[in-house]
Amino acid sequence: MMVTKILQCLFGSIVLLLVSTSFSYAADEGDFVGDKKCRGCHKPMIVDIAKNLHSQAGHWNAEYKGCESCHGPGGTHAKSESAADILNPATMDSEAASGQCLSCHEDSNRHWVGSSHEAMDVSCVSCHSVHNNDNDKMLVESTEAETCYGCHAEQRVFTLKRSSHPISDIARFDNSGEMNCTSCHNPHGSQSESLISANTVNDKCYECHQEMKAPVLWEHSAVKESCLNCHNPHGSNHENMLTAKEPRLCQQCHEQGRHQTIAGEENSFFVTNRSCSNCHAQIHGSNHPGGVKLKR
Ligand code: HEC
Ligand code: HEC
Ligand code: HEC
Ligand code: HEC
Ligand code: HEC
Ligand code: HEC
Ligand code: HEC
Ligand code: HEC
Ligand code: HEC
Ligand code: HEC
């Protein structure tokens, strides 16, 4: 009991110390002048960044130079007051802008270089606004999905269709357990296609749909190959996010079979109700000894 109390006290004062000493970086090299200099002319920025994780970055990172860790040495600018004498990631070219961030964030961005975002001149500050404290990842919009929709309007359209994943349109980081774009994508780059944060698309789907991964006696090879053969991960107007309605969905691959099926014969078994799934209910694979045709 006592020991925890003491520890808590100790911890408390360490935290206090951390907070109270943030922003004490002093100039000691080159044209760097330290935060105190910036204070006089940019008071709102100082107030605002004091609430930001970066105000404590000095305690995690030896490279920390306060405002100047992202804006570069400010001695000349502090005298000239000219925008031309200070770096501003918002107006720099994308590679240089990201470079300001990567000097400290290289570890968490191992796949950044060469990623489709980096290659298309998207920079860290396309998505992050470090002077913005609206959300704890310092995103440019108040929710993650909104941040992405800024450039990916098409995906918004899909997520609004009849069937879609429960993608959150509320602030993301409230532990609501809802999904988001980064449930499947790593915007900082990944080793697989489409910035998927898993080795393959199916591995990604299995993370949440484990039951589909279990080995089955009778596989449907279209499923093992890719879930995307039949599903649109962002949403669709067909139920279960199917890319097409049955029987057309199946007929893309199964043109001929023991039973010829003609789409359009409205009263046929093959078309009404759940169509092919009426009989082939175990479309993802079957464990029944007699499930070879995926019917049970
Ligand atoms: C003596 C006052 C003064 C001091 C000290 C000062 N600034 Fe500025 N700063 C200004 C003014 C004025 C502007 C607007 C310049 C303009 O728009 O042409 C500005 C603009 C900026 C900009 C925006 C540049 C852009 O591209 O629009 C940044 C970033 C900046 N300052 C950072 C800093 C940092 C970091 C420090 C401390 C090292 C600092 N300033 C110290 C007066 C000052
Ligand atoms: C972690 C990096 C980082 C730190 C630390 C930082 N800034 Fe910035 N600053 C940026 C970025 C990035 C922008 C471009 C706009 C944006 O993304 O918010 C910016 C923009 C600015 C601007 C231009 C604002 C405008 O509206 O155009 C000023 C002025 C500025 N910062 C001053 C400061 C001052 C003063 C400090 C220290 C208290 C500071 N910055 C600390 C990254 C940083
Ligand atoms: C001087 C080193 C340094 C620079 C430069 C820097 N950061 Fe950071 N940043 C940190 C540290 C340290 C933290 C807090 C520790 C952590 O959670 O990683 C942090 C935290 C963050 C976070 C929040 C992480 C979280 O878990 O909530 C984001 C987002 C971020 N930085 C983006 C940027 C961007 C964008 C830039 C460039 C404009 C930048 N940083 C520049 C050191 C830096
Ligand atoms: C396309 C949008 C986008 C771009 C570009 C982007 N980020 Fe992020 N970043 C996010 C989102 C969304 C999150 C929050 C979700 C998460 O944690 O993965 C995030 C989280 C972070 C975090 C905290 C979590 C972590 O991974 O450590 C840091 C730090 C960070 N970004 C730094 C950067 C840096 C540095 C760059 C540039 C090299 C960058 N980001 C480029 C969207 C982006
Ligand atoms: C500043 C604009 C911008 C923002 C914001 C943005 N992206 Fe992108 N994104 C692009 C561009 C440009 C491309 C490459 C061209 C394309 O495929 O449209 C791209 C491509 C992608 C791709 C396809 C990658 C591939 O290799 O095929 C994915 C996935 C993606 N973005 C996810 C996201 C997510 C998730 C977010 C939000 C965290 C986001 N993007 C935010 C501009 C942006
Ligand atoms: C359930 C997982 C999942 C979620 C959640 C998700 N995506 Fe995707 N996304 C994928 C897969 C899988 C692909 C690859 C599609 C393909 O190759 O046909 C993809 C592809 C993309 C592409 C490339 C263009 C395309 O359609 O092929 C973009 C851009 C994209 N996603 C953006 C987003 C955005 C923005 C969000 C959040 C609103 C989001 N994604 C949420 C799984 C997901
Ligand atoms: C982060 C977890 C997660 C990932 C990853 C994920 N899903 Fe889901 N999926 C869900 C949740 C949650 C639901 C909604 C369940 C509900 O409504 O009962 C869902 C529902 C579905 C549905 C049924 C939709 C409906 O209308 O009822 C399909 C189909 C689906 N997911 C396919 C996929 C595919 C394909 C992938 C891989 C590209 C994937 N999921 C990746 C969590 C995930
Ligand atoms: C050959 C087409 C096809 C492929 C490939 C496919 N599915 Fe499905 N999926 C369907 C059909 C059809 C339904 C609707 C079944 C019904 O109506 O009973 C469905 C329904 C679902 C559902 C919602 C109903 C349920 O059973 O929970 C989820 C989740 C799902 N699929 C996930 C996946 C995942 C994950 C993959 C990849 C491993 C995948 N699907 C691959 C055709 C397919
Ligand atoms: C992307 C192509 C593709 C799609 C879409 C597809 N299948 Fe298949 N299906 C295959 C392949 C490949 C096989 C295995 C090869 C074979 O045995 O003919 C198979 C096997 C089957 C079998 C078992 C056949 C046997 O002889 O054992 C049935 C039943 C079946 N599919 C039904 C369906 C139904 C119902 C749908 C629609 C919900 C569907 N398939 C969608 C490609 C597909
Ligand atoms: C009324 C029930 C029923 C419906 C509806 C149905 N099937 Fe079948 N299907 C069967 C039966 C029974 C078999 C097995 C025939 C056998 O073993 O002799 C079969 C076999 C198959 C096979 C295995 C290959 C073959 O010719 O033996 C495929 C592929 C197939 N069906 C696809 C489909 C597709 C695609 C649809 C939707 C257009 C569909 N089925 C709708 C009952 C049905």
Side-chain angles (χ1 to χ4, degrees):
M1 218 17 217
M2 200 55 201
V3 179
T4 31
K5 268 264 153 66
I6 294 174
L7 279 177
Q8 269 171 1
C9 264
L10 263 176
F11 185 68
S13 38
I14 290 172
V15 169
L16 259 181
L17 206 78
L18 290 183
V19 171
S20 58
T21 52
S22 47
F23 280 134
S24 61
Y25 164 79
D28 57 0
E29 48 176 299
D31 197 23
F32 287 99
V33 289
D35 288 345
K36 287 207 182 86
K37 259 276 192 270
C38 320
R39 241 175 245 249
C41 303
H42 295 291
K43 189 135 195 222
M45 288 298 187
I46 303 265
V47 172
D48 141 290
I49 214 167
K51 295 182 236 145
N52 188 294
L53 260 180
H54 282 113
S55 69
Q56 292 160 35
H59 304 286
W60 283 287
N61 197 303
E63 305 289 309
Y64 190 60
K65 291 184 162 59
C67 313
E68 293 166 301
S69 36
C70 297
H71 292 293
T76 310
H77 164 76
K79 284 185 212 119
S80 71
E81 300 182 33
S82 160
D85 292 330
I86 191 87
L87 296 179
N88 181 356
T91 56
M92 293 158 77
D93 79 60
S94 62
E95 193 182 339
S98 296
Q100 292 303 103
C101 316
L102 287 170
S103 63
C104 298
H105 287 292
E106 202 146 26
D107 286 358
S108 54
N109 289 278
R110 279 180 294 121
H111 302 296
W112 172 252
V113 176
S115 72
S116 28
H117 279 147
E118 190 258 0
M120 292 301 286
D121 286 339
V122 175
S123 84
C124 313
V125 300
S126 305
C127 295
H128 294 287
S129 170
V130 296
H131 287 288
N132 173 3
N133 299 310
D134 265 9
N135 55 68
D136 70 358
K137 303 293 173 187
M138 302 167 216
L139 297 174
V140 293
E141 299 293 342
S142 60
T143 70
E144 183 189 300
E146 287 300 330
T147 302
C148 311
Y149 295 150
C151 298
H152 297 295
E154 197 190 328
Q155 269 62 38
R156 183 205 294 273
V157 174
F158 281 112
T159 59
L160 293 175
K161 292 192 184 227
R162 197 173 113 203
S163 166
S164 72
H165 273 116
I167 291 180
S168 178
D169 54 4
I170 48 168
R172 172 182 184 222
F173 310 100
D174 62 351
N175 298 319
S176 68
E178 289 212 65
M179 289 176 70
N180 229 303
C181 309
T182 53
S183 305
C184 297
H185 295 290
N186 185 342
H188 305 126
S190 81
Q191 279 171 302
S192 32
E193 278 176 57
S194 300
L195 302 174
I196 295 291
S197 50
N199 286 334
T200 64
V201 168
N202 276 31
D203 281 348
K204 175 44 75 179
C205 310
Y206 294 148
E207 283 176 16
C208 301
H209 300 288
Q210 294 96 341
E211 70 287 357
M212 307 278 172
K213 190 179 186 181
V216 287
L217 210 49
W218 308 107
E219 289 185 348
H220 190 186
S221 52
V223 175
K224 290 292 153 190
E225 184 187 75
S226 173
C227 308
L228 303 180
N229 276 329
C230 300
H231 295 288
N232 184 325
H234 302 125
S236 142
N237 276 337
H238 308 294
E239 58 186 16
N240 292 302
M241 299 192 282
L242 292 171
T243 51
K245 196 168 154 35
E246 290 181 58
R248 208 168 60 75
L249 174 73
C250 316
Q251 287 167 334
Q252 289 165 354
C253 301
H254 297 288
E255 283 176 23
Q256 262 140 20
R258 207 151 308 178
H259 42 65
Q260 289 289 349
T261 59
I262 303 152
E265 267 183 39
E266 278 167 27
N267 297 322
S268 144
F269 269 138
F270 299 110
V271 178
T272 51
N273 193 18
R274 289 164 64 217
S275 182
C276 313
S277 301
N278 278 327
C279 301
H280 301 288
Q282 300 301 316
I283 200 63
H284 301 103
S286 167
N287 260 328
H288 192 281
V292 58
K293 305 296 177 198
L294 309 176
K295 294 193 305 168
R296 48 193 169 179

